[in-house]
Amino acid sequence: MGATAHRLDVCMQVRIEPFGVTATVDPQNDGDMTLLDVATDAGVAIESVCGGRGTCGKCRVIVSGGVSPPTKLELKGLTEEELSAGYRLACQAIV
């Protein structure tokens, strides 16, 4: 699964593939909305056994821009190769 985020003047558009779902994120979300939140709100289920705490790695997605830098949990749980390829944990990547 992959997500592409594009910042717009008023909102951010997140495209969730291969589902073809586009979700709009309010720029006033206080910087605490994760890709997992966006997908869930858009009706796309992403497995997250740990409940979004960043410990299980099940919510791994490929991201192409527009999200926060990797967290300490992601740096610990993902390899350099995965990070270089754009992999992130949906529960940790803030939009």
Side-chain angles (χ1 to χ4, degrees), residues 10-71:
V10 179
C11 61
M12 176 186 272
Q13 297 287 316
V14 177
R15 180 109 176 132
I16 304 167
E17 295 295 351
F19 303 99
V21 173
T22 300
T24 301
V25 179
D26 186 333
Q28 304 301 318
N29 73 49
D30 296 326
D32 62 355
M33 185 164 246
T34 65
L35 284 175
L36 182 61
D37 296 329
V38 173
T40 300
D41 289 352
V44 176
I46 297 177
E47 187 174 8
S48 178
V49 176
C50 69
R53 292 187 300 272
T55 57
C56 71
K58 297 289 186 182
C59 66
R60 187 172 59 166
V61 296
I62 299 174
V63 176
S64 60
V67 297
S68 61
T71 65

